[in-house]
Amino acid sequence: MKRGNSFTRREGVIFDIGGEGRKGYALPDLDVPPCDWYREGAEPFRDDIDGFPRVSEAEVVRHFTRLSKMNYGIDDGLYPLGSCSMKYNPKINEELARDERFCGVHPLQPESTVQGCLQLQWELEEFLKEITGLAGFTLQPAAGAQGELTGLLIIRALQRQRGDNRPVVLIPDSAHGTNPASVRLSGYRAEEIPSDAKGCIDLERLRRRMDRDVAALMLTNPNTLGIFEEQIEAICQVVHEKGGLVYCDGANLNALVGVARPGDMGIDLLHVNLHKTFSTPHGGGGPGAGPLGVVEELLPFLPFPRVIRDGERYLWEENRPNAVGRVHGFFGNFGILLRAYAYILSNGPAGLRAVAEGAVLNANYLRALLEKDFHIPYEARSLHEVVFSDQKQESAGVRTIDIAKRLMDHGFHPPTIYFPLIVRGAMMVEPTETETIQELDAFAAALQLIAAEVRESPELVRTAPHTTPVGRLDEVAAARHPIFRWRGPE
Ligand SMILES: *Cc1c(COP(=O)(O)O)cnc(C)c1O
């Protein structure tokens, strides 16, 4: 199979096409009296935009169809964006989420008329408790980052109740950027804990630093290098001994689901990115769902309302005096909760375990295929993702960004690059469990080919991409001086 981009012509913007007098409809002359707002000869065009495009229906449909074919999504092929778990999302989940009996429901309907929706949320919480080993969840947070913020608000609520005001949250230097952002947003000060030579939290440094000014340690397990924190129990013990809490960023649950439970490792709070591990299409930034789970002691602080069960009836438990408030206008992104629920039920316990096993196997298969051509900064075995660097390509003057751009010429979406920050020139590959061995082989072959190109004709890689609608973009200028308005042809 030849891989590559399907477009054959360069597509401009819609202002480039069309012509005077063209429009998207053809109707006979009016044979009834015109109504009030109809002006003779008036055309339904906006006059606040200069040169508003005048296009026929065929032109507009073809333009947007061609644009849509320039996109690359998980339905095109492997999407190896590390830390994002861009797995294939079963279409049955989409059909269920679109079912009129769910999407026709209004969040202000009386409880008695939405018993099925409440039951679904109650059971989803039960599933998440079972999967993570925690005592209870709020389904409200609309993203992982909001789960983090909710967790930090809960930590502060607990410590306020204890009369124990602690200003600091410790974060390993490999953490995702949302971690320090959430810490800052919740009024804490983020302080970095370095990783050791194995890519894990430096336990000795943590032991020396941990004190009564530290509210919590916020870690990710497996961490963003794809490495399991083997000393997780000792880490939790060090933090707990000084009265701190352990928050786990659960974005990497795809590596553990059905195999190990963060709650059993000593973790106090954890968010789960349903849109990653439990299958919701999430390119382009959402919507998502980041339910937050906590241990028994923290249950009273979970946001209100929560769904409770009273015999055969499900209802909202509104009276939660210690709750940190609401974190969502209604009850969370219900459509995402529904997809996760369907995904969990359709996989069952054995299926979920196979998810983690497949994800780990696939990442390690790619690692084995590519470790000769690309430098691997840490020796520890990978879980669901593997981080390479551009160290072997550096002497040819080729950097990570060039390799990522060249991958597009070979028909693949690039991996996550320059993250985690502690790896210079990082390329973070997460194939997920939904890829076949043929797809993994094709991806590895593309990267091996690029490694060969770097040795033989580095200029080709340095100037990539060559087959995409636009070539190398000035990403710094695009970020610093964004242009949001069409200014006419150059
Ligand atoms: C994706 C991710 C987050 C943030 O989750 P969102 O749902 O995008 O807000 C946090 N930490 C890690 C490790 C992630 O991969």
Side-chain angles (χ1 to χ4, degrees), residues 83 143-145 148 176 178 220 224 249 251 273 275-276:
S83 212
E148 293 169 19
H176 191 274
T178 53
T220 309
T224 61
D249 177 333
N273 302 59
H275 45 288
K276 295 181 180 172

Side-chain angles (χ1 to χ4, degrees), residues 241-264:
E241 272 169 6
K242 292 275 167 67
L245 295 172
V246 180
Y247 183 100
C248 182
D249 177 333
N252 292 340
L253 192 63
N254 220 47
L256 303 181
V257 60
V259 177
R261 309 197 311 167
D264 297 340

Side-chain angles (χ1 to χ4, degrees), residues 373-406:
D373 285 308
F374 295 92
H375 171 247
I376 293 180
Y378 293 95
E379 275 179 15
R381 184 168 290 296
S382 299
L383 286 193
H384 66 305
E385 61 196 358
V386 50
V387 178
F388 301 97
S389 91
D390 58 2
Q391 198 175 298
K392 288 187 180 173
Q393 286 70 35
E394 201 176 339
S395 59
V398 170
R399 313 311 312 257
T400 286
I401 182 88
D402 309 320
I403 298 166
K405 297 287 184 194
R406 186 65 180 148

Side-chain angles (χ1 to χ4, degrees), residues 1 5 49 328 442:
M1 180 181 67
N5 303 306
I49 295 175
H328 192 280

Side-chain angles (χ1 to χ4, degrees), residues 22-279:
R22 288 187 207 162
K23 49 191 174 185
Y25 61 92
L27 293 173
D29 285 343
L30 208 58
D31 62 354
V32 292
C35 58
D36 286 351
W37 50 263
Y38 182 85
R39 282 177 291 124
E40 196 63 49
E43 290 197 272
F45 293 122
R46 290 177 60 173
D47 47 19
D48 57 330
I49 295 175
D50 249 2
F52 195 81
R54 314 209 160 193
V55 286
S56 69
E57 180 174 328
E59 281 177 305
V60 78
V61 167
R62 286 177 180 169
H63 171 68
F64 285 109
T65 302
R66 286 193 298 262
L67 284 180
S68 75
K69 287 184 187 169
M70 289 182 191
N71 204 358
Y72 185 97
I74 190 65
D75 291 346
D76 288 287
L78 174 71
Y79 208 125
L81 218 47
S83 212
C84 295
S85 299
M86 303 296 280
K87 59 171 78 180
Y88 175 78
N89 304 285
K91 296 292 176 252
I92 181 74
N93 299 349
E94 301 305 309
E95 272 182 43
L96 290 170
R98 249 180 262 132
D99 189 306
E100 183 58 25
R101 287 165 293 181
F102 286 119
C103 66
V105 163
H106 193 280
L108 292 179
Q109 272 179 239
E111 283 164 357
S112 62
T113 67
V114 288
Q115 283 294 298
C117 295
L118 298 190
Q119 181 179 355
L120 185 150
Q121 290 175 78
W122 189 85
E123 287 181 7
L124 178 59
E125 186 183 337
E126 292 300 304
F127 294 159
L128 293 175
K129 282 157 64 175
E130 173 68 25
I131 288 167
T132 61
L134 289 165
F137 272 81
T138 171
L139 304 177
Q140 283 181 31
Q146 205 192 5
E148 293 169 19
L149 180 64
T150 309
L152 287 157
L153 294 178
I154 288 177
I155 292 172
R156 207 176 49 191
L158 172 80
Q159 288 171 347
R160 275 215 178 126
Q161 194 185 62
R162 289 176 176 168
D164 185 11
N165 267 330
R166 300 175 174 223
V168 176
V169 173
L170 300 178
I171 304 183
D173 54 7
S174 58
H176 191 274
T178 53
N179 293 184
S182 302
V183 166
R184 195 72 200 85
L185 208 56
S186 56
Y188 285 109
R189 195 171 76 235
E191 204 179 294
E192 203 169 272
I193 278 287
S195 302
D196 61 17
K198 289 196 289 195
C200 292
I201 290 178
D202 189 328
L203 186 58
E204 272 323 300
R205 295 281 287 268
L206 176 68
R207 195 167 272 141
R208 264 183 277 138
R209 175 59 188 91
M210 189 58 211
D211 210 342
R212 305 217 166 258
D213 62 333
V214 175
L217 167 70
M218 197 171 195
L219 53 70
T220 309
N221 198 20
N223 65 28
T224 61
L225 294 160
I227 299 172
F228 189 81
E229 292 283 354
E230 284 187 350
Q231 295 185 292
I232 183 66
E233 285 168 331
I235 289 170
C236 292
Q237 199 187 345
V238 166
V239 176
H240 289 152
E241 272 169 6
K242 292 275 167 67
L245 295 172
V246 180
Y247 183 100
C248 182
D249 177 333
N252 292 340
L253 192 63
N254 220 47
L256 303 181
V257 60
V259 177
R261 309 197 311 167
D264 297 340
M265 301 172 197
I267 274 145
D268 302 300
L269 309 91
L270 165 107
H271 77 258
V272 180
N273 302 59
L274 294 187
H275 45 288
K276 295 181 180 172
T277 310
F278 298 105
S279 93

